[in-house]
DNA sequence: TGACAGGCTCGTACTTAGTACGGTACCGTC
DNA sequence: GACGGTACCGTACTAAGTACGAGCCTGTCA
């Protein structure tokens, strides 16, 4: 879809890169496919980004920019739920971003802003400094790890679960993996099952525990 | 390091692939570098694996095979701690595996065995089926997500923390990111800080919460 | 024992990817 | 109307995945 009218820019390049990765995975994102999508030749891209690595750093930051920020000063639990749900939804739309997180150590401004807002919200709610760091690491671990698992699922929504799970079960011997088979037949194949529901559950458990930690430290709130 | 003596095999290929990825990241793992390491020409590899994708699937399973399995029948909390610590340690040694988890949907036998043992341990300890699924998703999320964060750290151990953090702080304006700066100066730069310690903390919080869930369900234990 | 078959290895070459190098067209300024 | 900078492009080099077919080694059966 070449758009000859608009001039190229770093923003346009990154936006197009995100769109390509969404459509065909990170593997589909090449300097040539990106140039094609922008109606341009590959080498033109290098006037707006230094190299492909910078594009990868850039699109990770674009992904962070699409997550809703928590608001320091609001009810901390509500803000953390809002942030976690938004982050998970965004990572689900851009699953390739999770793999990039691991290899990128140069966070962009949106990434920094995101973490700053999260930490700020906890601090404002009365979490002591060290506990804030602990809780931040804990919540981020949960969100990222859930996204990893969700991306690795062979099915992508509640619709295809039954079909895919039955296919997998045919290749899983109950002798070799009795408990996996039990979970698949007795839990996953139940009507109404949706892995996404696990997110709310786990998040609630974690936040309850965190609330307990806060209460121990500042009994007055 | 060519080893002309031993014959090629799928196992040897995968082991060498893991070693190369450990040394130079996933980017350093090419059919040519792999062949070189085995003292062989690239095309010889294709008699033991179908293609590079199968190698990637294979090394993920190798990584899982190196994690300590929980023992069904043992004290569930102790087994979960053992498994989580082992999994995190392994993922820290092979950080490239985290990125692969997201793109691989064909789990190998070691991966299946790992999950089966984990689920089995929870079931044997009295966790009902649905709660087992919830808890399994929760614990795996925490472990994977922590590994993601650990891999994305700009420093790799407690030794380089101070130096690297000070470098970063020079580029972080306290006006733009006040809470990040506060955490960095007031927590990270404290002597004795080690991000790895966050793991134990968060794991304890999660397991305490899980123990509460189990107690609610089977008050008799 | 000699011929054959099957499997392992390799040489060559094709395709796709990232990107260095230099050219060109357009634009505003003096 | 000459000049310089910016954005874009054509070409080409290198690295990587892998298809194709040829050589070699080994074990088997006549």
């Amino acid at each position: 879809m070449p758009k000859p009218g608009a001039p190229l820019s770093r923003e346009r390049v990154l936006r197009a890169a995100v769109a390509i990765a969404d459509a065909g995975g990170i593997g589909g994102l090449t300097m040539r496919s990106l140039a094609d999508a922008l109606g341009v030749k590959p080498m033109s891209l290098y006037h707006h980004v230094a190299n492909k690595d910078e594009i990868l750093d850039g699109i990770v930051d674009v992904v962070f920019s699409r997550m809703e920020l928590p608001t320091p000063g609001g009810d901390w639990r509500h803000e953390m739920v809002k942030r976690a749900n938004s982050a998970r939804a965004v990572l689900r739309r851009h699953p390739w971003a999770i793999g990039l997180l691991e290899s990128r150590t140069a966070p962009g401004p949106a990434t920094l802003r995101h973490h700053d807002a999260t930490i700020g919200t906890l601090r404002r709610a009365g979490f002591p400094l060290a506990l804030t760091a602990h809780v931040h690491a804990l919540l981020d671990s949960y969100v990222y790890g859930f996204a990893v698992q969700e991306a690795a699922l062979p099915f992508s929504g509640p619709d295809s679960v039954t079909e895919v799970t039955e296919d997998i079960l045919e290749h899983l011997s109950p002798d070799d993996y009795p408990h996996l088979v039990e979970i698949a037949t007795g839990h996953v194949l139940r009507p109404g099952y949706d892995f996404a529901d696990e997110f709310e559950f786990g998040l609630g458990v974690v936040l309850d525990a965190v609330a307990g930690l806060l209460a121990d430290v500042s009994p007055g709130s």
Side-chain angles (χ1 to χ4, degrees), chain A residues 14 16 19 42 49 51 53 59 65 75 84 129 141-142 148 157 178 192 211 218:
Chain A
L14 292 183
V49 293
N51 49 38
D53 246 40
I59 59 179
S65 76
D75 173 68
L129 199 53
S141 290
Y142 179 67
V148 167
S218 67

Side-chain angles (χ1 to χ4, degrees), chain A residues 137-147 198-204 206:
Chain A
L138 168 56
L139 292 177
D140 264 16
S141 290
Y142 179 67
V143 172
Y144 294 155
F146 193 89
E198 305 281 4
F199 187 70
E200 307 262 4
F201 179 88
L203 184 59
V206 170

